[in-house]
Amino acid sequence: MEDRSLLENINRHITLTENECALFLSLLKKKKIPRKNKLLTQGQLCDSIYFVDCGALRAFYLDVSGKESTIMFAVKDWWVTDMYCFINILPAMLTIEAIEESTVYQLKKNDLEKLYQTVPQFERFFRILMQNAYIREQLRVVQNLSMTAEERYDIFVKKYPEVANKVKQKQIASYLGITAEFLSMIKRKKL
Amino acid sequence: MEDRSLLENINRHITLTENECALFLSLLKKKKIPRKNKLLTQGQLCDSIYFVDCGALRAFYLDVSGKESTIMFAVKDWWVTDMYCFINILPAMLTIEAIEESTVYQLKKNDLEKLYQTVPQFERFFRILMQNAYIREQLRVVQNLSMTAEERYDIFVKKYPEVANKVKQKQIASYLGITAEFLSMIKRKKL
DNA sequence: TGTAAACCTTAAACTAGTTTATTTTTTTGT
DNA sequence: ACAAAAAAATAAACTAGTTTAAGGTTTACA
């Protein structure tokens, strides 16, 4: 078995029996996503959540004018989906794209619901997951409201150095809510 | 008993026995917060989460330069706390203030942990609560990144009309991440 | 290995939103 | 009901971040 990182991720918060582990693993489907391919495309029904085993992905919103806003990067050990559309089983607002070749475990909405019923501990696991996600997004809102682009850039690089090294500058800019040109200016100023 | 709105809030997502209900209610402490008083002050240990029975409150972050950023408004049926500091039992980063006289139910962190153990259904309840909170914040991030202040204002008024009518304009401005002066300009333009 | 495409930089003109200051209006506590 | 304080409006000068456009550099893949 080579699903260690996923099980470790789960064991950090709940304790499962052998059988429960086996059941959980049986619901997952391993997927390999080549670089630049999409795990989810805007408009397509979003019925799955994904755990990243390796690689790096980016979730972004494409507005009518063609501008991309990066919502999140997902690297090893992150869970990713378009949560709003996943929960309400709606066509996705977000697109999720592999920045580099990635391997993910897919868990379908129906199977997750089944899981909640047969192994209620997963309610706890996802409660903690959602809690952390909420806290993270709320912190980001505070920062977007109260800080300059430069401050936000510094914090981003400090908080996610592996991501900052891996992704394109224009993608970082679109995560920070600024243009690639302005980010370039910010960086020059630092030299 | 006059705790109907809280129990209805909970029954929307989980089903409790009489005993479980009674246990839950026994952990709550009703608090009346006069207008302009604080439920939580920046720097003070945040060990409770609150359910708003009536009234209206505002959670905001005060930065070093003295600028306030409104993180959320909480009216009837909302849960509110400084989630990051609540979860990690840290001094609060946020201040929560009553905009008008409000009544809340206080639930302490320790009691919530107890509740998770004795009535695991609450894991489900708070899983759903956190999920909704996450989705809400994520949507806000998308809007902050991709929309102008005017668009964000229109959406805010449409989404939370009761709040928009109740709170001061400068508080709405600080929720949108703009100055009160600029919001004033936006509104004039609409006439 | 070459070449097209994507990315990054630079810079000048521009604009959305800020700052500061003054006046008017509304709210509040007594 | 009144005085004081807080909030809202207006306006001019300013600045953080955008837009457009051009040139230079790296990346991808045929």
Side-chain angles (χ1 to χ4, degrees), chain A residues 42-43 58-71 92-95 174 177-179, chain B residues 139 141-148 151-152 155:
Chain A
Q42 201 167 98
R58 182 174 74 101
F60 61 90
Y61 173 71
L62 187 69
D63 75 13
V64 282
S65 76
K67 197 175 88 177
E68 285 183 6
S69 299
T70 296
I71 302 315
M93 292 174 355
L94 305 184
T95 297
S174 91
I178 58 177
T179 57
Chain B
L139 207 59
V141 168
V142 175
Q143 289 172 2
N144 284 163
L145 295 185
S146 67
M147 294 180 178
T148 65
E151 289 168 325
R152 272 142 52 208
I155 288 175

Side-chain angles (χ1 to χ4, degrees), chain B residues 50-69:
Chain B
Y50 304 91
F51 177 83
V52 182
D53 187 50
C54 69
L57 302 108
R58 181 173 75 101
F60 62 90
Y61 173 71
L62 186 70
D63 75 14
V64 281
S65 76
K67 197 175 88 176
E68 286 183 6
S69 300

